[in-house]
Amino acid sequence: MPPNITALNTTRARTYVFRLPLFTRVVILAIVGFWLAGLQSIVDIQQWGALIPDEMGLATLYRMNTFPFIHLNIFHAVMNILALTPLMERFEAEYGTLNCLALFFGPLTTIPAFLYVGLEKFVFGNNVAVMGASMWVFLLLGVEAVKTYKVNPNFVIGTYSIPTWTTPIGVLFAMAVLMPSSSFWGHAAGLVVGYGAGLGYVKFLAPPEKILRWIEGKLNLLGRLPHYVSIDQKTYGRFGVLPSNNTPAVASPGVALGLVGSTQRLGP
């Protein structure tokens, strides 16, 4: 590759990283931080924070918020960061930093976690622990697929017209085939909730904008926090408000790395 093209790509990558919004940065740093914490041998971070169906109780509900940050190894963490970052960045730019904080430490994490635990315990009778941010990846793929479908309903392969909202389902089954150690049902739980969020079925769980604006103004978050995205700086609006027809459709990103079981390794 010519040196000028390499320099251009490096500059673009550096610019992209420097422009990442606040919540997306915090998520990346948290994933890296938990991986570093897992290098010590005093506390088993994976056992402490993974989503383990048989370990769920009132005292361990924190697992529903910790498992996306914990990964098996550095490869698992890096691959999930690469898959998650563009999706999370786009979501935060659209809905705001404070909204992301409330949603991803609330319903957009706990609902798919409850679904997974319910399936494992009461349907399959298993106790497969999962960890990793790929449940978020599939959730956000579901949100993006619904938005894309409303702007560009179909894409054509040969003589077949395929609904764009089915793209994440194809990714889901491709992951199950190519990486059988990944958690199919963990990914599916995230995808189902992502479809629901994209269709607006969970919008009643989002904090009222009036309250968020009051918090932002009272604490002067926009002035105090670098890279903070205000409610009024959002790209398009809230749940159910889509880009106009003049806005190019957003294609669903490529394959995301898997949510893995406690005794299973993700990757080639």
Side-chain angles (χ1 to χ4, degrees), residues 5-114:
I5 296 180
T6 302
L8 179 61
N9 290 338
T10 302
T11 301
R12 286 180 175 177
R14 186 184 300 114
T15 301
Y16 177 77
V17 171
F18 286 161
R19 294 182 63 181
L20 288 175
L22 180 60
F23 182 77
T24 304
R25 290 168 178 252
V26 171
V27 167
I28 294 171
L29 290 175
I31 291 173
V32 174
F34 274 105
W35 173 75
L36 291 173
L39 297 179
Q40 50 78 40
S41 58
I42 300 174
V43 179
D44 189 338
I45 296 297
Q46 293 180 4
Q47 178 64 28
W48 169 80
L51 187 63
I52 307 174
D54 284 352
E55 297 290 330
M56 295 307 299
L58 291 178
T60 56
L61 287 177
Y62 67 86
R63 292 176 182 271
M64 291 193 171
N65 285 120
T66 56
F67 80 91
F69 299 106
I70 298 173
H71 293 76
L72 284 179
N73 48 50
I74 185 61
F75 175 78
H76 185 205
V78 169
M79 292 298 100
N80 272 318
I81 286 174
L82 292 177
L84 179 66
T85 298
L87 293 164
M88 185 67 78
E89 178 266 335
R90 187 153 51 243
F91 189 92
E92 184 176 357
E94 183 172 346
Y95 297 112
T97 298
L98 203 56
N99 228 344
C100 281
L101 180 65
L103 290 170
F104 281 94
F105 281 91
L108 294 189
T109 301
T110 56
I111 292 177
F114 269 118

Side-chain angles (χ1 to χ4, degrees), residues 138-161:
F138 275 89
L139 186 148
L140 290 169
L141 282 174
V143 173
E144 289 292 328
V146 173
K147 289 163 55 179
T148 302
Y149 175 75
K150 293 184 177 181
V151 178
N152 183 24
N154 301 288
F155 64 92
V156 178
I157 298 180
T159 59
Y160 297 96
S161 181

